[in-house]
Amino acid sequence: MGTYLMLGSGAFWILTYILLIQRGFKDQTYGMPLVALCANLSWEFIFSFIHPHQPPQLQINIVWLMLDLIILYGFFKFGQSELKDIPNKLFYPVFILTLFTSFCCVLLITDEFQDWSGAYTAFGQNLLMSILFIDMLTKRNTVRGQSIFIAIFKMIGTLLASIGFYINHPTQGRSLLFIFLYTAIFVFDLIYVGMVAMKIKRFREKKLNHALTRQ
């Protein structure tokens, strides 16, 4: 049961990445916050090539990595116009520093705790990602690069991973730390889904009122 849940989680995250890519190029923006993207790239590379998982999770990791590289291309293509607080000449150095820091954090935490499953870093950065998506939505004040399906699939993907890890690892997966992480991620994901839905509703109402006014 737990294995099927983890596979389902992988599938929903693949869908999330595909939709992020599609929406990002449509709206001409990047769909994933920089820190979250660098953490994802680091985790997926480490657990694909340095501490490779067993199949089928290994294949899922590699697919995630390939999709994140496309998201990274979108970040390079549209990021400079979005991140106005970062001077253009510092755009790539900031990215390299963020990626280096993320990579070292994931690798050293894994080695320190001998966490070859990557669970501590996976759920830890997932919580960070959930918060960063809310922050990005708040700063942009629009759903550019986002959609309700991205928010929902992201939430379902992590929820299935949480339940799967809880079932597959009766000791580590049921510790107070992981129970906190499961709960916190789900709560922030739920908030994010609600915020995206509210933004879409307000946009449609504004568009409708504008159309009625013009008539």
Side-chain angles (χ1 to χ4, degrees), residues 60-77:
I60 292 173
N61 293 349
I62 293 173
V63 172
W64 285 346
L65 179 60
M66 295 301 104
L67 291 171
D68 263 335
L69 287 173
I70 301 174
I71 295 174
L72 175 61
Y73 171 75
F75 176 79
F76 286 154
K77 186 175 179 63

Side-chain angles (χ1 to χ4, degrees), residues 23-50:
R23 189 66 188 232
F25 281 96
K26 179 181 178 181
D27 294 345
Q28 296 191 337
T29 187
Y30 61 92
M32 188 179 292
L34 172 60
V35 175
L37 178 58
C38 289
N40 272 7
L41 288 167
S42 300
W43 192 94
E44 290 153 6
F45 182 86
I46 288 168
F47 292 102
S48 293
F49 303 108
I50 298 178

Side-chain angles (χ1 to χ4, degrees), residues 68-170:
D68 263 335
L69 287 173
I70 301 174
I71 295 174
L72 175 61
Y73 171 75
F75 176 79
F76 286 154
K77 186 175 179 63
F78 305 115
Q80 284 182 308
S81 61
E82 291 278 342
L83 299 174
K84 299 185 184 301
D85 293 338
I86 301 176
N88 287 343
K89 64 181 179 180
L90 295 179
F91 179 77
Y92 288 102
V94 166
F95 165 76
I96 292 170
L97 179 61
T98 306
L99 182 62
F100 177 77
T101 303
S102 300
F103 186 87
C104 289
C105 282
V106 174
L107 185 62
L108 294 176
I109 289 172
T110 299
D111 290 344
E112 179 75 17
F113 293 99
Q114 297 187 353
D115 177 33
W116 313 126
S117 69
Y120 287 108
T121 48
F123 285 101
Q125 72 184 49
N126 216 308
L127 176 57
L128 175 66
M129 188 186 306
S130 297
I131 296 170
L132 289 174
F133 267 93
I134 292 173
D135 178 67
M136 185 174 70
L137 181 66
T138 303
K139 286 180 178 177
R140 286 181 175 174
N141 201 29
T142 71
V143 290
R144 289 178 61 250
Q146 303 297 299
S147 73
I148 191 65
F149 289 107
I150 291 172
I152 291 173
F153 288 171
K154 176 184 177 299
M155 180 177 68
I156 294 174
T158 307
L159 180 61
L160 292 178
S162 299
I163 298 171
F165 193 73
Y166 181 89
I167 292 172
N168 286 345
H169 299 80

Side-chain angles (χ1 to χ4, degrees), residues 14-24 145 147 149-150 153:
I14 287 172
L15 289 172
T16 302
Y17 288 156
I18 291 172
L19 290 176
L20 277 170
I21 292 167
Q22 181 185 45
R23 189 66 188 232
S147 73
F149 289 107
I150 291 172
F153 288 171

